[in-house]
Amino acid sequence: MIFTYNKEHVGDVLMVIVADGQGVKLAAERKGNVARIYRLDNGETVAWNIFQVSNLFNITERGQVFLTDEEISILNQELSQAGFEPELVNDLSPKFVVGEIVEMVAHPDSDHLNICQVKVAADKVVQIVAGAPNAKVGLKTIVALPGAMMPKGNLIFPGELRGEKSFGMMCSPRELQLQLPNAPQKRGIIELASSEVVGTAFDPTKHWQG
């Protein structure tokens, strides 16, 4: 679940993205200050728009924002009062973390993609399809997990690449906008020291030296 807000360019609207629309046709229903955006093919909720959100609480950040449990409770009350089912659940777990490639096999339907098993927590391994030329077993890197918003605004959701499921993205410096101005764009994902701890939240000052 991703919360975004930009009063200057969008208006006083909190956008709550809960699922990937996957390019299908969408529709919206609005009740009061709440609009539900959903897929026409199956009725799945893709996003919520909360209008005049500053009447509920103040948001000072721009772009992706992170809300407190109390603010989520207020939003669910707003959904309920508008006649919708309250369904927002707060998730404050980090979405950019240190990961380690623990297994890797060539994609059966690609000459450059690999199917990687990536450890992203002490007790969690996810599958990520990647085409990074420097990917290898044992490499530690930065992983964007489902629910992440990249610096350019694109969102990370579970998906498929040529028929293989993928649950995140291993990041290059360019994708995280870490390159120094006018520096050459280095191909491949970030390579971290082997001493980095899997599952640690990404910290540019610690994990990137330029």
Side-chain angles (χ1 to χ4, degrees), residues 152-172:
K152 288 188 176 181
N154 49 316
L155 310 177
I156 303 299
F157 286 107
E160 289 189 6
L161 283 175
R162 298 200 178 182
E164 295 292 338
K165 295 186 181 301
S166 188
F167 298 91
M169 181 176 74
M170 292 182 285
C171 301
S172 69

Side-chain angles (χ1 to χ4, degrees), residues 68-79:
T68 66
D69 289 342
E70 181 180 1
E71 290 167 338
I72 294 295
S73 178
I74 292 172
L75 292 180
N76 277 323
Q77 291 176 23
E78 188 75 359
L79 264 62

Side-chain angles (χ1 to χ4, degrees), residues 97-101 118-120 139-143 192 197-199:
V97 301
V98 174
E100 179 182 3
I101 302 174
V118 184
K119 189 174 183 180
V120 294
L139 177 66
K140 290 184 177 178
T141 188
I142 299 300
V143 177
L192 299 177
V197 178
V198 167

